[in-house]
Each structure stands twice: as structure tokens, then as C-alpha cells.
Amino acid sequence: MSKGRFGKYGGQYVPEIVMPVLTELEAAYEKYKNDPEFLAELRKYYVEYAGRPTLLYYAEKLTKHYGGAKIFLKREDLLHTGAHKINNALGQVLLAKRMGKNRVIAETGAGQHGVATATVAALFGMECKVFMGAVDMERQKLNVFRMKLLGAEVVPVTTGTSTLKDATSEAIRYWAAHIEDTHYIIGSAVGPHPYPTMVRDFQSVIGREIREQIKEETGGRLDYLIACVGGGSNAIGTFYEFRNDQSVKKFGVEAAGRGPAVGDNAQTLSNPASRPGVLHGAYSYLAQDEDGQVIEVYSISAGLDYPGVGPEHAMFHEEGIVKYVGINDKEAIDAFQLLCREEGIIPAVESSHALAYLEKLMPNTKKDEVVVVTLSGRGDKDVQQVAKVLGEEI
Ligand SMILES: *Cc1c(COP(=O)(O)O)cnc(C)c1O
């Protein structure tokens, strides 16, 4: 496999001016990724700050509800800041520190990655700028305020559609002009090499813990893994450890939104119409129109609302290592309510897409089989939106 490629996907499609900093980052990551001191420090923050290992919880009532395989939930929702994004933010900020950078920047759409970045910047005393589309800032006022509380500066982006893809372009532009002292923390397993590899490695703690924990729960028996896919970081973190285990069937759940029409969903791999192309520095599948223009995608869930997908998923898709499927808004909201009522756990709407796939999978499972669903985040951030969808006044 050539450098930074997953089959034919991945690579470094960036302006010339960004190349030196990617090369520097790649060298630093190569140097530290197996360095015992670096890994011990990361481990310490995972354990003492973020709250790892997260529970592998046996959802007994949900299992009874379906009457098939035993269902376990990997509880990334219990992490500090409420989702898996902190795994990556901690890894990258530690690397930035090793590289002698004292400022971090990030892009954010719904604000979740911005909050995770602002959190680790506060912890390490680094200056932090978060680029966010002006439209998204209006939609996500609470997260904008959270970032400010954490000491970050939120930079409104008013180019293009004033949303995530414009914020990403703006962050790249800013980075190119401040290369010496600034590290760019990308929030998912996307972007130019080495980001997809680096983010995957930081998130792979999820799958490694599942491997350990399932040994104790079932003696190691595991038949199915399910995770939701936006850019694909919690999913690659779940699947990577099991990539060569053919007996473990892996499902990546994309947002099927309000229907199959172009622009009504955020499916990049499970959509028969999607094709590979270049977005944000990498060659991967992406949602595009007939002329190859990236289209605006839609999902009820802001965290899944991304027109691209990590390049390693593109390879897993073509090689049949993971099956990518779609779950629509309504199915996700039904699953959200089901988990609240059956288990007393309020899941993120993103994670509810993964949970909703149980509805399709479980009728074909047997009682002695085992399924693990990664619960990527908690749903406190989503209750207002869900109330609106359900027509409740709050
Ligand atoms: C951001 C987010 C996602 C989607 O991002 P991935 O990189 O695909 O994991 C999923 N769930 C939650 C809770 C998120 O905050």
C-alpha cells in the first residue's frame, strides 16, 4: 500500500503551501505513535481525565425486547464531554505539544468537535480558535457559548453556504498562514494523510477495549458490530481491531435522512448514486451531483451531516469488510425513544442511527449470538430537537 493510501483512497490533495506542515506532522506522528512515553501519557489522560475504559454494558431489557442475540452497548457516551471525540482531541493535542506548537485550531459543524478541541486546549493551556459557519453558529448557540466558556475564540465563517465545508476550507487557509506555531485538530477520520490514519489510531481504543471486555462477558464470542458513520471516526475506531475477523459482521450506519433523493440524505457509501472524488484533501466517496460538484447533504443529526467519508471506509466498502447501510430520520428517532424507555439511557441522535439498525438485524439473529453497538455519544444535546420533532412543547 503506498503512503497514506487505503487501496486507491486517501492521499494528500492540498495546496502546495500546506505540504510542508503535513510532512512535519507525518514525521512527528511516525516518531511518537509507538513511543512508550507518548502512549503512557495518552493513556493517563484517557484514564484520569476522559474516563476510560468506558463500560461495555449488557442491555438486558433491549435484548428481551428483540428476543434474539445478546446486545451490548459500548458506552462512549459516558466519556468527559459526552462523546468519543475527546479520544482524538487528546491524542492530537499531546502530539501538538510534542511538536512545540502552542496554538490549536479546529473546524466544527454542530459544535461537538469544537467543544472537544476547546476542552483539551484549556487543559493544556493552549490558545484555541474554532472556525464555524455563521449559519451553524446561529443554529448551535449553546455550543458556541460552551466553547467561549472554555476559553476558545469562535471565528464566524461567512463564505459559501456558511456551514461546515466552508469552515473547513477557512481553517486550512488559516493554518497555511500560521504553520510555525499552530496545529490543526481535524475532528474525524477524514482529510489528507496522515489524519485518517492518526484519528483512526486514537479512536481504535474503542475496538481494543471491546475485544478485552467481550472476553469477560461472553468468553470472546462476538458476531456483529454496529456503529454510525458521519466522517467515520467512531466507526473506524470500533471496526479496525476486528478488520481481519471475518466471523464478526460489521455494519456502518449512514444517515438516510428524509429519503433517497439527492440532497435528502447524508449517505456516501450506502447510496448507489455516490461516486469517489476529492474533498478536504483526500480521495474518497462523496455526495456529488452529475457534474462532480459536492452537494449539500441532509440528516436530522448534525454529526452525520457530512458529504464525505473517511478513505479507509471507502476501501472497507469496496473490499466488503464492512457493510454500509442507511437509517432514516424517523427510524433513528424511534430508536432514540426505545433506548430511553428500555434502558434509561438517552443516546445521541447520531448513535440512534446505529441503534436503529438493530430493528433490521435482530430478527435474523440467534439467542446465542452477540452484538455490540457503539453508543458514540449522549443525547442531552439533542433533547430540544427531539421534542420539536415529536411535537412536544418544552
Ligand atoms: C461527531 C459525532 C458523530 C459522527 O462522527 P464520526 O467521525 O463519524 O464518528 C457520531 N456521534 C456523535 C455523538 C458525534 O458527536
Side-chain angles (χ1 to χ4, degrees):
M1 199 188 306
S2 69
K3 192 184 80 153
R5 291 278 177 179
F6 304 96
K8 54 182 182 286
Y9 301 104
Q12 291 178 316
Y13 297 82
V14 294
E16 204 57 45
I17 185 164
V18 180
M19 279 310 291
V21 78
L22 287 180
T23 306
E24 183 196 10
L25 180 60
E26 187 188 357
Y29 187 58
E30 281 303 312
K31 179 170 171 198
Y32 291 114
K33 71 177 186 191
N34 296 318
D35 175 50
E37 252 174 64
F38 177 78
L39 294 174
E41 194 178 3
L42 180 58
R43 183 79 213 144
K44 173 177 132 73
Y45 283 99
Y46 277 176
V47 172
E48 294 175 13
Y49 187 72
R52 304 213 69 92
T54 57
L55 297 175
L56 184 70
Y57 165 72
Y58 173 42
E60 194 171 354
K61 278 189 72 209
L62 195 64
T63 298
K64 279 221 182 82
H65 170 86
Y66 285 113
K70 272 187 151 183
I71 301 167
F72 290 85
L73 304 177
K74 181 56 175 163
R75 299 286 311 273
E76 297 294 294
D77 61 310
L78 295 174
L79 287 171
H80 177 47
T81 69
H84 68 289
K85 288 196 172 73
I86 194 83
N87 300 328
N88 169 49
L90 279 170
Q92 287 201 44
V93 81
L94 280 176
L95 193 63
K97 200 177 84 170
R98 291 265 191 310
M99 292 169 74
K101 315 248 165 172
N102 54 20
R103 298 161 68 186
V104 291
I105 59 168
E107 83 297 339
T108 200
Q112 296 301 111
H113 173 55
V115 170
T117 302
T119 299
V120 300
L123 181 66
F124 287 89
M126 290 199 189
E127 206 181 291
C128 177
K129 269 191 212 307
V130 180
F131 293 85
M132 190 168 188
V135 169
D136 288 336
M137 280 179 75
E138 190 53 37
R139 286 195 285 223
Q140 305 287 342
K141 283 187 186 150
L142 210 57
N143 273 339
V144 172
F145 184 58
R146 276 196 187 103
M147 288 183 260
K148 287 183 182 162
L149 282 174
L150 294 162
E153 182 194 344
V154 184
V155 182
V157 175
T158 53
T159 49
T161 52
S162 301
T163 57
L164 176 61
K165 69 177 176 19
D166 312 297
T168 306
S169 307
E170 197 54 44
I172 294 173
R173 258 196 294 279
Y174 180 91
W175 194 29
H178 299 83
I179 278 171
E180 313 74 47
D181 63 351
T182 303
H183 174 64
Y184 178 15
I185 302 188
I186 290 184
S188 188
V190 300
H193 176 68
Y195 283 101
T197 301
M198 191 168 69
V199 176
R200 176 252 279 154
D201 290 349
F202 292 142
Q203 294 292 358
S204 291
V205 66
I206 302 173
R208 286 196 305 271
E209 284 179 10
I210 292 174
R211 169 93 70 195
E212 280 302 305
Q213 292 166 320
I214 206 71
K215 260 185 223 154
E216 292 192 8
E217 296 286 350
T218 69
R221 169 126 203 196
L222 176 61
D223 300 276
Y224 309 96
L225 279 172
I226 309 177
C228 66
V229 178
S233 70
N234 87 89
I236 206 78
T238 301
F239 301 151
Y240 187 69
E241 167 75 18
F242 299 93
R243 67 196 180 284
N244 297 322
D245 295 49
Q246 281 171 14
S247 62
V248 181
K249 292 173 195 68
K250 297 169 273 291
F251 298 92
V253 183
E254 298 185 317
R258 57 192 164 217
V262 173
D264 277 352
N265 60 73
Q267 290 167 271
T268 42
L269 294 170
S270 57
N271 184 343
S274 69
R275 289 163 291 137
V278 170
L279 178 68
H280 296 147
Y283 182 64
S284 185
Y285 275 71
L286 50 101
Q288 52 191 313
D289 64 18
E290 304 216 319
D291 303 326
Q293 290 294 318
V294 178
I295 56 165
E296 286 268 320
V297 292
Y298 163 82
S299 163
I300 188 172
S301 153
L304 300 184
D305 189 350
Y306 180 69
V309 69
E312 197 162 16
H313 286 291
M315 184 182 79
F316 282 177
H317 170 62
E318 287 197 351
E319 294 186 349
I321 290 171
V322 177
K323 184 166 188 228
Y324 295 87
V325 297
I327 283 292
N328 67 32
D329 288 358
K330 180 173 183 313
E331 292 166 326
I333 295 298
D334 288 348
F336 175 100
Q337 290 178 281
L338 185 70
L339 196 72
C340 291
R341 295 210 186 130
E342 290 292 340
E343 297 289 346
I345 298 170
I346 303 179
V349 174
E350 290 85 358
S351 324
S352 302
H353 285 73
L355 290 165
Y357 192 65
L358 290 171
E359 211 51 58
K360 311 204 167 170
L361 178 71
M362 294 310 284
N364 306 313
T365 64
K366 300 187 207 71
K367 274 189 164 38
D368 63 340
E369 290 184 316
V370 175
V371 49
V372 172
V373 183
T374 295
L375 207 61
S376 54
R378 65 174 181 234
D380 302 56
K381 66 183 178 61
D382 298 318
V383 289
Q384 212 158 8
Q385 189 192 11
V386 173
K388 215 160 123 190
V389 172
L390 298 177
E392 303 267 343
E393 292 276 343
I394 54 169

PDB file of all heavy atoms in Angstrom, residues 231-247:
ATOM      1  N   GLY A 231     -18.183  11.251   9.423  1.00  0.00           N
ATOM      2  CA  GLY A 231     -16.882  11.171   8.755  1.00  0.00           C
ATOM      3  C   GLY A 231     -16.294   9.783   8.958  1.00  0.00           C
ATOM      4  O   GLY A 231     -15.443   9.328   8.204  1.00  0.00           O
ATOM      5  N   GLY A 232     -16.751   9.125  10.032  1.00  0.00           N
ATOM      6  CA  GLY A 232     -16.382   7.719  10.220  1.00  0.00           C
ATOM      7  C   GLY A 232     -15.404   7.431  11.342  1.00  0.00           C
ATOM      8  O   GLY A 232     -14.832   6.340  11.398  1.00  0.00           O
ATOM      9  N   SER A 233     -15.219   8.364  12.304  1.00  0.00           N
ATOM     10  CA  SER A 233     -14.170   8.105  13.307  1.00  0.00           C
ATOM     11  C   SER A 233     -14.586   7.110  14.392  1.00  0.00           C
ATOM     12  O   SER A 233     -13.793   6.254  14.776  1.00  0.00           O
ATOM     13  CB  SER A 233     -13.650   9.410  13.915  1.00  0.00           C
ATOM     14  OG  SER A 233     -14.595  10.032  14.750  1.00  0.00           O
ATOM     15  N   ASN A 234     -15.829   7.204  14.903  1.00  0.00           N
ATOM     16  CA  ASN A 234     -16.192   6.218  15.934  1.00  0.00           C
ATOM     17  C   ASN A 234     -16.335   4.833  15.300  1.00  0.00           C
ATOM     18  O   ASN A 234     -16.028   3.815  15.930  1.00  0.00           O
ATOM     19  CB  ASN A 234     -17.422   6.656  16.753  1.00  0.00           C
ATOM     20  CG  ASN A 234     -18.757   6.266  16.164  1.00  0.00           C
ATOM     21  OD1 ASN A 234     -19.277   5.195  16.427  1.00  0.00           O
ATOM     22  ND2 ASN A 234     -19.328   7.135  15.323  1.00  0.00           N
ATOM     23  N   ALA A 235     -16.768   4.803  14.029  1.00  0.00           N
ATOM     24  CA  ALA A 235     -16.931   3.520  13.344  1.00  0.00           C
ATOM     25  C   ALA A 235     -15.573   2.876  13.048  1.00  0.00           C
ATOM     26  O   ALA A 235     -15.373   1.687  13.322  1.00  0.00           O
ATOM     27  CB  ALA A 235     -17.733   3.707  12.052  1.00  0.00           C
ATOM     28  N   ILE A 236     -14.618   3.660  12.537  1.00  0.00           N
ATOM     29  CA  ILE A 236     -13.310   3.056  12.240  1.00  0.00           C
ATOM     30  C   ILE A 236     -12.656   2.640  13.554  1.00  0.00           C
ATOM     31  O   ILE A 236     -11.987   1.605  13.619  1.00  0.00           O
ATOM     32  CB  ILE A 236     -12.423   4.010  11.401  1.00  0.00           C
ATOM     33  CG1 ILE A 236     -11.419   3.207  10.572  1.00  0.00           C
ATOM     34  CG2 ILE A 236     -11.668   5.033  12.237  1.00  0.00           C
ATOM     35  CD1 ILE A 236     -11.974   2.574   9.361  1.00  0.00           C
ATOM     36  N   GLY A 237     -12.888   3.417  14.618  1.00  0.00           N
ATOM     37  CA  GLY A 237     -12.348   3.075  15.929  1.00  0.00           C
ATOM     38  C   GLY A 237     -12.939   1.783  16.476  1.00  0.00           C
ATOM     39  O   GLY A 237     -12.292   1.041  17.213  1.00  0.00           O
ATOM     40  N   THR A 238     -14.179   1.497  16.104  1.00  0.00           N
ATOM     41  CA  THR A 238     -14.852   0.267  16.525  1.00  0.00           C
ATOM     42  C   THR A 238     -14.401  -0.925  15.676  1.00  0.00           C
ATOM     43  O   THR A 238     -14.126  -2.007  16.187  1.00  0.00           O
ATOM     44  CB  THR A 238     -16.390   0.435  16.386  1.00  0.00           C
ATOM     45  OG1 THR A 238     -16.805   1.541  17.195  1.00  0.00           O
ATOM     46  CG2 THR A 238     -17.131  -0.823  16.812  1.00  0.00           C
ATOM     47  N   PHE A 239     -14.317  -0.713  14.352  1.00  0.00           N
ATOM     48  CA  PHE A 239     -14.094  -1.833  13.422  1.00  0.00           C
ATOM     49  C   PHE A 239     -12.630  -2.239  13.264  1.00  0.00           C
ATOM     50  O   PHE A 239     -12.342  -3.402  12.975  1.00  0.00           O
ATOM     51  CB  PHE A 239     -14.615  -1.480  12.024  1.00  0.00           C
ATOM     52  CG  PHE A 239     -16.086  -1.152  11.955  1.00  0.00           C
ATOM     53  CD1 PHE A 239     -16.583  -0.267  10.990  1.00  0.00           C
ATOM     54  CD2 PHE A 239     -16.995  -1.729  12.846  1.00  0.00           C
ATOM     55  CE1 PHE A 239     -17.930   0.032  10.913  1.00  0.00           C
ATOM     56  CE2 PHE A 239     -18.354  -1.430  12.770  1.00  0.00           C
ATOM     57  CZ  PHE A 239     -18.816  -0.550  11.797  1.00  0.00           C
ATOM     58  N   TYR A 240     -11.720  -1.277  13.405  1.00  0.00           N
ATOM     59  CA  TYR A 240     -10.336  -1.508  12.983  1.00  0.00           C
ATOM     60  C   TYR A 240      -9.732  -2.752  13.641  1.00  0.00           C
ATOM     61  O   TYR A 240      -9.118  -3.591  12.975  1.00  0.00           O
ATOM     62  CB  TYR A 240      -9.474  -0.275  13.263  1.00  0.00           C
ATOM     63  CG  TYR A 240      -8.082  -0.399  12.698  1.00  0.00           C
ATOM     64  CD1 TYR A 240      -7.866  -0.377  11.319  1.00  0.00           C
ATOM     65  CD2 TYR A 240      -6.975  -0.558  13.529  1.00  0.00           C
ATOM     66  CE1 TYR A 240      -6.591  -0.506  10.792  1.00  0.00           C
ATOM     67  CE2 TYR A 240      -5.698  -0.690  13.011  1.00  0.00           C
ATOM     68  CZ  TYR A 240      -5.514  -0.665  11.644  1.00  0.00           C
ATOM     69  OH  TYR A 240      -4.252  -0.799  11.127  1.00  0.00           O
ATOM     70  N   GLU A 241      -9.917  -2.880  14.938  1.00  0.00           N
ATOM     71  CA  GLU A 241      -9.389  -4.026  15.686  1.00  0.00           C
ATOM     72  C   GLU A 241      -9.909  -5.358  15.122  1.00  0.00           C
ATOM     73  O   GLU A 241      -9.258  -6.387  15.228  1.00  0.00           O
ATOM     74  CB  GLU A 241      -9.798  -3.867  17.170  1.00  0.00           C
ATOM     75  CG  GLU A 241      -9.608  -5.071  18.048  1.00  0.00           C
ATOM     76  CD  GLU A 241      -8.140  -5.327  18.419  1.00  0.00           C
ATOM     77  OE1 GLU A 241      -7.323  -4.395  18.274  1.00  0.00           O
ATOM     78  OE2 GLU A 241      -7.838  -6.473  18.827  1.00  0.00           O
ATOM     79  N   PHE A 242     -11.085  -5.338  14.523  1.00  0.00           N
ATOM     80  CA  PHE A 242     -11.741  -6.569  14.058  1.00  0.00           C
ATOM     81  C   PHE A 242     -11.703  -6.712  12.537  1.00  0.00           C
ATOM     82  O   PHE A 242     -12.427  -7.526  11.971  1.00  0.00           O
ATOM     83  CB  PHE A 242     -13.196  -6.592  14.555  1.00  0.00           C
ATOM     84  CG  PHE A 242     -13.313  -6.579  16.058  1.00  0.00           C
ATOM     85  CD1 PHE A 242     -13.446  -5.371  16.743  1.00  0.00           C
ATOM     86  CD2 PHE A 242     -13.242  -7.762  16.788  1.00  0.00           C
ATOM     87  CE1 PHE A 242     -13.534  -5.344  18.131  1.00  0.00           C
ATOM     88  CE2 PHE A 242     -13.328  -7.744  18.178  1.00  0.00           C
ATOM     89  CZ  PHE A 242     -13.470  -6.532  18.854  1.00  0.00           C
ATOM     90  N   ARG A 243     -10.854  -5.885  11.881  1.00  0.00           N
ATOM     91  CA  ARG A 243     -10.881  -5.845  10.409  1.00  0.00           C
ATOM     92  C   ARG A 243     -10.583  -7.199   9.769  1.00  0.00           C
ATOM     93  O   ARG A 243     -11.062  -7.496   8.687  1.00  0.00           O
ATOM     94  CB  ARG A 243      -9.938  -4.771   9.870  1.00  0.00           C
ATOM     95  CG  ARG A 243      -8.457  -5.046  10.124  1.00  0.00           C
ATOM     96  CD  ARG A 243      -7.630  -3.786   9.930  1.00  0.00           C
ATOM     97  NE  ARG A 243      -6.210  -4.016  10.175  1.00  0.00           N
ATOM     98  CZ  ARG A 243      -5.645  -4.152  11.387  1.00  0.00           C
ATOM     99  NH1 ARG A 243      -6.398  -4.105  12.476  1.00  0.00           N
ATOM    100  NH2 ARG A 243      -4.358  -4.325  11.503  1.00  0.00           N
ATOM    101  N   ASN A 244      -9.779  -8.040  10.464  1.00  0.00           N
ATOM    102  CA  ASN A 244      -9.447  -9.341   9.889  1.00  0.00           C
ATOM    103  C   ASN A 244     -10.298 -10.482  10.449  1.00  0.00           C
ATOM    104  O   ASN A 244     -10.094 -11.633  10.082  1.00  0.00           O
ATOM    105  CB  ASN A 244      -7.961  -9.652  10.132  1.00  0.00           C
ATOM    106  CG  ASN A 244      -7.069  -8.640   9.417  1.00  0.00           C
ATOM    107  OD1 ASN A 244      -7.390  -8.217   8.305  1.00  0.00           O
ATOM    108  ND2 ASN A 244      -5.978  -8.235  10.051  1.00  0.00           N
ATOM    109  N   ASP A 245     -11.233 -10.163  11.339  1.00  0.00           N
ATOM    110  CA  ASP A 245     -12.106 -11.207  11.911  1.00  0.00           C
ATOM    111  C   ASP A 245     -13.339 -11.360  11.020  1.00  0.00           C
ATOM    112  O   ASP A 245     -14.310 -10.620  11.165  1.00  0.00           O
ATOM    113  CB  ASP A 245     -12.567 -10.822  13.321  1.00  0.00           C
ATOM    114  CG  ASP A 245     -11.435 -10.745  14.315  1.00  0.00           C
ATOM    115  OD1 ASP A 245     -10.410 -10.104  14.011  1.00  0.00           O
ATOM    116  OD2 ASP A 245     -11.549 -11.331  15.399  1.00  0.00           O
ATOM    117  N   GLN A 246     -13.265 -12.332  10.108  1.00  0.00           N
ATOM    118  CA  GLN A 246     -14.381 -12.474   9.165  1.00  0.00           C
ATOM    119  C   GLN A 246     -15.656 -12.969   9.837  1.00  0.00           C
ATOM    120  O   GLN A 246     -16.752 -12.768   9.323  1.00  0.00           O
ATOM    121  CB  GLN A 246     -13.976 -13.397   8.024  1.00  0.00           C
ATOM    122  CG  GLN A 246     -13.120 -12.649   7.013  1.00  0.00           C
ATOM    123  CD  GLN A 246     -12.512 -13.567   5.970  1.00  0.00           C
ATOM    124  OE1 GLN A 246     -12.918 -14.715   5.829  1.00  0.00           O
ATOM    125  NE2 GLN A 246     -11.545 -13.031   5.240  1.00  0.00           N
ATOM    126  N   SER A 247     -15.504 -13.601  11.018  1.00  0.00           N
ATOM    127  CA  SER A 247     -16.702 -14.098  11.690  1.00  0.00           C
ATOM    128  C   SER A 247     -17.482 -12.969  12.371  1.00  0.00           C
ATOM    129  O   SER A 247     -18.621 -13.161  12.774  1.00  0.00           O
ATOM    130  CB  SER A 247     -16.302 -15.148  12.731  1.00  0.00           C
ATOM    131  OG  SER A 247     -15.475 -14.544  13.702  1.00  0.00           O
TER     132      SER A 247
END
